[in-house]
């Protein structure tokens, strides 16, 4: 007998896939049927159910579903591409930062190595010892000079050890590359619990054998003499001296000083506050054994300025930040821990947020490539890209300057959409040129910022402060610049703490030597930009007049009178010189001080969402917990919760149910009412009615009824309620009942 045939409703995805596969051939889909075989347990029958015609989708709906599927595939492709571009851009930024830090420490590292070489030669000049003499436990020489331990005190000037860890790690690698044996000890090795034996075991494990468990200095002496290591220097680095146990460190210094001639050991101690910090933690005997030399690393602010200049003011990756984001990053750097590590972490999060929020950020990969238009020849300037580019806020702000057009290619037809004004094809083709101008724009702006920083060094201004102020797109001096107005204390053109104002006021106090140094710095900075360099070169004649006025010899007959005339002449020339420098600064600010936020299409390379960055860095854990509890369905993405709307279902997590019910109460919640509401959700009232209305025809109900879980017992509901209340208490959202009011709980946090 033929199998029974049934008609099944097709799923929406099947219809869409069928249309996508045959859209090129035809737009009409005829009715189709699904044939199902009869189950083995059922009796064969020839009855055929009534067929239901499936209406073919309209061509418009089919075409819409096709476009949506294509857009979804494009979105996934571009999301993956943005992630790859982020990795490329961040690798450039990270490598640049590492090079800057390496260059800033290279001078100190070279000085430490030269000091080690000189000290090593002075030790060897006293005469070489035989192997038997070197391994004796009792000192061979008793002169006080033979017990001096050469020590380098490296001042880091950091409040936290985060930056110092990487600094001393680089120092160890640098000394190893120069042929030194290096061991590194942390403050944890100098604990009172381990004692000096723990320090010696740590040194032997790094020098001799990783598995050694004996604290004996003679083993170190034997290793140094027997294996031919006496030609190399032995260096011990203590990265954080001020956190070490003073007694343990003093004992180690006394032991090493007894073996200073037998095993020439050089101790490098890192201090963060001052060079005399060891006086506060070491004993008097240990201090007498030290032959100390001082080295000072660059300060965190100086390293910050160097990193800022290399990443944002010189060609690096093209990525930059807005004025508000820069202010937040500065505040986070100054108020948190003041370490460069925190600033780099903030910068990385901002870069990642930019690539996750801005679709056009994929063009940053081509911004550092010279002589190539961003997006040219890469297929990035698609229809959706063009539409998004001309919808950016920086473009829509200037409707009179920019016109918009889109081209939609379908088959062999080219349709032109007019969005705002009447436009031409050439307008759309100008987008790569706009992007190229955006690529070249930061060059003169960064030169002006560096010139202001060069002048601000005489007033000890930091580049971070100058960078934040010059990024302000609403700075009033950009529109109404006048040096006399800025110098005037009553002026409202610039704020009282304005960097530009401080620079201009400091110019009047500079000496001729400082003015000459400023001109040399400007000449070097503007060498590759002729427009500004010409203005700088025009200042040299005035500078020569100042130098001539200062070097004019006096008359022997009337020295006081001539001295007063020379002084007035010098003041006159200095005033003329400062006025000319102010005019050059005015020219630079007026012509080239255009922050990135004032340029069209700046959203491609500029991150502006300071709220996202603040949320990612500082976070709001309690608010996040509340939002997750109230919107658990959006996280779980289960079918039952997605269709429930605002109705609470028993399948929702107990804690989410309980916290959602708490929103109906004030700051005090009655436990009995709360429990009854929770119980009503888990055991609906219509569940008992359904159980009473069961029919006797079990064979039919087995096929048709939807199996539902049995309602939980009363004890189970109470246990689940207590556990959910405890979880809310642990999360800090409620306060447990007190002895005074045992039947009430108090809400601690309220959702916004």
């Amino acid at each position: 007998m033929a199998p029974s045939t049934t008609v099944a409703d097709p799923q929406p995805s099947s219809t869409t896939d069928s249309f996508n596969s045959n859209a090129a051939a035809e737009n009409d889909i005829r009715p189709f049927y699904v044939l199902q075989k009869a189950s083995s347990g059922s009796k064969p029958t020839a009855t055929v159910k009534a067929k239901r015609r499936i209406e073919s989708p309209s061509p418009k709906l089919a075409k819409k579903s096709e476009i949506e599927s294509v857009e979804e595939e494009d979105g996934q492709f571009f999301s993956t591409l943005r992630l790859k571009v982020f990795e490329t851009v961040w690798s450039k930024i990270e490598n640049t930062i590492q090079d800057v830090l390496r260059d800033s420490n290279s001078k100190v590292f070279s000085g430490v190595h030269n000091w080690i070489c000189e000290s090593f030669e002075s030790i060897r000049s006293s005469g070489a010892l035989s192997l038997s003499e070197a391994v004796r436990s009792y000192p061979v020489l008793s002169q006080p000079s033979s017990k001096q331990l050469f020590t380098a005190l490296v001042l880091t000037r950091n409040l936290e050890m985060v930056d110092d860890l990487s600094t001393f790690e680089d120092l160890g690698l640098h000394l190893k590359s120069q042929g030194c044996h290096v061991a590194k000890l942390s403050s944890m090795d100098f604990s009172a619990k381990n004692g000096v034996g723990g320090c010696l075991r740590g040194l032997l494990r790094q020098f001799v054998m990783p598995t050694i468990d004996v604290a004996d200095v003679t083993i170190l002496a034997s290793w140094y003499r027997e294996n031919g290591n006496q030609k190399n220097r032995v260096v011990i680095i203590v990265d954080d001296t001020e956190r070490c146990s003073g007694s343990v460190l003093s004992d180690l210094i006394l032991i090493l000083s007894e073996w200073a001639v037998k095993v020439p050991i050089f101790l490098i101690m890192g201090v963060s506050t001052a060079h005399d910090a060891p006086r506060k933690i070491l004993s008097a005997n240990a201090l007498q054994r030290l032959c100390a030399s001082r080295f000072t690393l660059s300060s965190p602010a100086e390293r910050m300025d160097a990193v800022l200049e290399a990443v944002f003011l010189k060609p690096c990756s093209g990525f930059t930040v807005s004025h508000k984001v820069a202010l937040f990053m500065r505040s986070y750097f100054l108020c948190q821990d003041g370490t460069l590590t925190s600033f780099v972490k903030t910068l990385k999060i901002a870069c990642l947020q930019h690539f996750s929020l801005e679709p056009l950020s994929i063009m940053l990969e081509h911004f550092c490539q010279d002589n190539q238009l961003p997006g040219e020849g890469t297929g990035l300037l698609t229809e959706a890209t063009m539409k998004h580019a001309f919808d950016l806020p920086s473009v829509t702000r200037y409707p009179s300057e920019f016109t918009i057009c889109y081209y939609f290619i379908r088959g062999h037809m080219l349709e032109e959409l007019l969005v705002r004004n009447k436009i031409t094809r050439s307008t759309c083709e100008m987008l790569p040129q706009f992007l190229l101008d955006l690529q070249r724009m930061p060059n003169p702006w960064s030169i002006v910022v560096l010139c202001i920083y060069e002048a601000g060094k005489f007033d000890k201004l930091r580049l971070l402060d100058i960078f934040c102020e010059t990024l302000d797109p609403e700075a009033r001096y950009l529109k109404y610049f006048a040096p006399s107005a800025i110098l005037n204390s009553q002026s409202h053109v610039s704020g009282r703490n304005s960097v530009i104002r401080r620079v201009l006021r400091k110019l009047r106090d500079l000496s001729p030597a400082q003015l000459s140094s400023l001109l040399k710095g400007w000449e070097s900075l503007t060498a590759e930009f002729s427009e500004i360099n010409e203005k700088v070169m025009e200042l040299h004649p005035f500078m020569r007049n100042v130098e001539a006025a200062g070097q004019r010899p006096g008359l022997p007959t009337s020295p006081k009178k001539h001295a007063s005339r020379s002084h007035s002449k010098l003041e006159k020339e200095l005033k003329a010189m400062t006025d000319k420098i102010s005019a050059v600064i005015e020219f630079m600010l007026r012509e080239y001080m255009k922050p990135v936020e004032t340029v069209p299409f700046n959203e491609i390379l500029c991150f502006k969402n300071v709220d996202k960055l603040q949320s990612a860095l500082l976070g709001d854990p309690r608010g996040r917990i509340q939002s997750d509890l109230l919107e658990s369905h959006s996280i779980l993405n289960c079918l039952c919760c997605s269709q429930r709307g605002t109705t609470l279902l028993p399948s929702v997590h107990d804690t989410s149910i309980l916290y959602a019910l708490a929103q109906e109460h004030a700051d005090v919640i009655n436990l009995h009412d709360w429990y009854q509401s929770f119980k009503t959700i888990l055991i609906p009232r219509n569940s008992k009615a359904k159980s009473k209305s069961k029919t006797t025809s079990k064979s039919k109900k087995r096929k048709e009824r939807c199996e539902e879980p049995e309602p939980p017992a009363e004890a189970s509901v109470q246990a689940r309620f207590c556990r959910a209340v405890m979880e809310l208490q642990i999360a800090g959202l409620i306060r447990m009942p007190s002895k005074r009011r045992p039947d009430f709980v108090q809400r601690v946090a309220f959702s916004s």
Side-chain angles (χ1 to χ4, degrees), residues 254-328:
L254 293 175
I255 294 175
L256 295 180
S257 63
E258 295 291 344
W259 295 78
V261 177
K262 305 172 187 179
V263 184
I265 295 178
F266 302 92
L267 183 62
I268 299 178
M269 303 170 62
V271 292
S272 57
T273 55
H275 284 116
D276 59 348
R279 295 181 181 273
K280 303 177 182 178
I281 59 175
L282 297 179
S283 62
N285 293 333
L287 289 174
Q288 292 177 359
R289 301 293 180 92
L290 297 181
C291 181
S293 299
R294 300 178 179 181
F295 299 91
T296 303
L297 295 173
S298 57
S299 64
E302 293 172 350
R303 292 196 293 268
M304 169 65 68
D305 290 346
V307 169
L308 202 66
E309 179 180 351
V311 173
F312 292 115
L313 300 178
K314 290 184 178 180
C316 179
S317 64
F319 173 74
T320 186
V321 295
S322 66
H323 173 62
K324 293 182 179 179
V325 174
L327 290 177
F328 173 77

Side-chain angles (χ1 to χ4, degrees), residues 605-624:
L605 67 157
C606 181
F607 176 68
K608 301 180 179 181
N609 200 328
V610 66
D611 295 333
K612 286 281 186 180
L613 180 61
Q614 184 175 359
S615 176
L617 283 172
L618 304 180
D620 185 14
R622 183 173 293 182
R624 185 66 180 178

Side-chain angles (χ1 to χ4, degrees), residues 368-428:
C368 292
Q369 302 177 7
D370 297 333
N371 300 324
Q372 180 178 358
L373 295 177
E376 187 180 37
T378 60
L380 299 180
L381 298 180
T382 60
E383 171 188 322
T385 303
M386 299 284 291
K387 182 178 184 300
H388 180 77
F390 283 105
D391 283 341
L392 293 174
S394 61
V395 180
T396 56
R397 269 202 312 264
Y398 310 101
S400 59
E401 299 180 15
F402 300 96
T403 52
I404 303 175
C405 78
Y406 309 114
Y407 298 97
F408 295 89
I409 302 176
R410 296 177 181 174
H412 300 284
M413 297 179 61
L414 181 64
E415 298 182 10
E416 184 175 301
L417 278 183
L418 306 182
V419 179
R420 289 199 178 100
N421 303 323
K422 186 176 181 180
I423 50 180
T424 61
R425 180 191 297 260
S426 60
T427 310
C428 195

Side-chain angles (χ1 to χ4, degrees), residues 36-205:
Q36 297 179 351
K37 293 183 179 180
S39 60
S40 59
S42 60
K43 296 181 179 181
T45 177
T47 305
V48 180
K49 294 184 179 180
K51 300 177 182 180
R52 183 163 58 93
R53 179 179 178 85
I54 302 177
E55 297 181 359
S56 61
S58 62
K60 292 184 178 180
L61 295 178
K63 187 175 294 186
K64 183 178 180 181
S65 62
E66 180 184 7
I67 295 174
E68 290 178 353
S69 62
V70 172
E71 290 180 353
E72 183 178 357
E73 293 178 358
D74 292 343
Q76 295 177 355
F77 168 75
F78 281 106
S79 298
T80 306
L81 183 60
R82 287 206 304 270
L83 181 59
K84 293 181 179 179
V85 175
F86 161 73
E87 294 174 354
T88 303
V89 170
W90 179 248
S91 65
K92 292 181 181 179
I93 297 176
E94 192 172 23
N95 293 335
T96 302
I97 294 174
Q98 292 176 357
D99 294 341
V100 168
L101 296 180
R102 192 179 300 111
D103 294 341
S104 64
N105 296 327
S106 60
K107 186 176 181 180
V108 177
F109 289 175
S110 300
V112 171
H113 178 255
N114 295 334
W115 165 79
I116 291 175
C117 295
E118 295 174 0
S119 303
F120 185 70
E121 292 298 329
S122 65
I123 294 175
R124 294 184 64 180
S125 63
S126 61
L129 302 177
S130 62
L131 179 61
S132 59
E133 293 176 336
V135 297
R136 288 178 185 175
S137 59
Y138 191 79
V140 178
L141 301 176
S142 59
Q143 293 85 357
S145 60
S146 64
K147 297 183 179 181
Q148 291 292 313
L149 183 63
F150 288 92
T151 306
L153 300 177
V154 181
L155 179 61
T156 61
R157 295 187 284 183
N158 281 328
L159 297 179
E160 296 290 339
M161 276 296 299
V162 181
D163 294 344
D164 298 341
L165 294 176
S166 58
T167 300
F168 286 106
E169 191 72 27
D170 295 340
L171 177 59
L173 294 176
H174 175 77
L175 295 178
K176 285 182 180 179
S177 64
Q178 301 297 329
C180 299
H181 301 292
V182 180
K184 187 172 178 294
L185 298 177
S186 64
S187 58
M188 301 297 296
D189 298 321
F190 292 92
S191 61
K193 180 180 179 181
N194 298 328
V196 70
C199 302
L200 293 176
R201 280 191 293 269
L203 292 177
L204 294 176
R205 288 170 183 172

Side-chain angles (χ1 to χ4, degrees), residues 224-242:
Y224 184 74
R225 293 292 176 178
E226 292 177 354
N227 298 334
N229 297 316
Q230 61 270 18
K231 295 182 180 180
N232 299 326
R233 283 76 66 188
V234 179
V235 181
I236 300 176
I237 299 178
V238 182
D239 52 15
D240 192 2
T241 305
E242 292 157 312

